[in-house]
Amino acid sequence: MQNKVILITGASGGIGAACAAKLAPGNRVYALSRSGRAPEGSIPIICDVTDPEALRAAVDTVGEREGRIDAALLCAGCGISGAVEFIPPEEAERQFAVNFFGVDNALRVLTPYLRKSRGRVLAVSSAAAVFPIPFQAHYSAGKAALNVLMRAYGIEVRPFGIEAGSVMLGDCATGFTAARKKCEDGDELYGGRISAGVAAMERDERRGASPEQIAARIVKILSRRRLPSLRTVGASYRLLVFLSRILPIRLQNYILSRLY
């Protein structure tokens, strides 16, 4: 992908920053984040995706400066963990505000520009959308909702030449793990399963692929002649997603309960 105007949310670190760094050579990459940090070669814009007006102003700044937006990568995200029973409602709402409505806000303001360029947009999702992880229910639910949003949106805008998709990731070794907000209330009541389950999940994340490895796959997907509406990154995760289509839900739940 060369000579394109590309907008990336969540670009101050992790996968978003790695994607911005990989795409910057040969493209005009605008890196949106709350902090304003951006990889060398990209253009930083301070923006919180949960603020619709701030996001509109950021997108309009890019559109007016460049005259077009060819592609967008929606990478902004956050995580919480804990039992559904004990997670404060405001934390659950914050999870959806970033991971789901942050994408919804972006699509709303990006679409007029993507319509003009017949561009494409790719949102970062998770294999947790297919295999809901216990004690990470709101994260899993938000990513499942994100997949549905992107599929429906893609059908709506297809006549305008816009392509839309989601990429489901597995374990990634990023700052996301350390930044996760944990609620361990009720851990004793749950027999220590909350802390044990989250610890197992975080061990897997720390052993996961690097941001650079993931970014290489995402950029390859974004650059394909036809953008897939849903793609899983990593052979083992593709197998798991395939198994989710054929294994009984009861068996899937049993496996997940043993893992976490």
Side-chain angles (χ1 to χ4, degrees), residues 98-244:
V98 176
N99 291 4
F100 178 80
F101 286 106
V103 172
D104 180 66
N105 293 336
L107 295 177
R108 189 171 289 108
V109 296
L110 281 167
T111 300
Y113 294 101
L114 295 175
R115 184 183 293 118
K116 291 178 182 178
S117 66
R118 299 178 71 85
R120 49 182 49 185
V121 55
L122 188 64
V124 171
S125 183
S126 169
V130 176
F131 282 98
I133 301 174
F135 309 116
Q136 200 174 205
H138 296 94
Y139 178 82
S140 300
K143 292 301 187 181
L146 171 62
N147 285 354
V148 174
L149 174 70
M150 292 303 295
R151 284 186 64 190
Y153 171 79
I155 296 168
E156 292 174 4
V157 298
R158 186 181 299 155
F160 302 119
I162 300 172
E163 294 182 282
S166 300
V167 54
M168 294 196 296
L169 308 181
D171 292 318
C172 307
T174 70
F176 184 93
T177 301
R180 178 181 286 109
K181 191 160 187 179
K182 300 175 188 175
C183 173
E184 294 189 352
D185 293 356
D187 194 35
E188 184 177 349
L189 177 63
Y190 278 75
R193 290 170 52 228
I194 298 174
S195 57
V198 173
M201 175 181 63
E202 293 191 338
R203 280 196 301 271
D204 291 340
E205 289 173 349
R206 293 189 181 98
R207 296 168 182 163
S210 70
E212 291 73 23
Q213 289 172 315
I214 297 296
R217 298 299 303 275
I218 290 175
V219 169
K220 185 175 181 179
I221 292 168
L222 185 67
S223 305
R224 289 186 59 174
R225 189 176 66 85
R226 297 289 297 177
L227 189 70
S229 61
L230 187 62
R231 177 58 57 92
T232 307
V233 169
S236 60
Y237 295 103
R238 287 197 296 272
L239 175 60
L240 287 173
V241 170
F242 171 74
L243 290 175
S244 74

Side-chain angles (χ1 to χ4, degrees), residues 84-102:
V84 171
E85 178 183 1
F86 291 104
I87 287 178
E90 60 271 19
E91 292 299 332
E93 291 167 7
R94 172 66 180 170
Q95 178 81 113
F96 270 79
V98 176
N99 291 4
F100 178 80
F101 286 106

Side-chain angles (χ1 to χ4, degrees), residues 29 40 61 154 186 247:
V29 175
E40 185 177 354
T61 295
L247 293 180

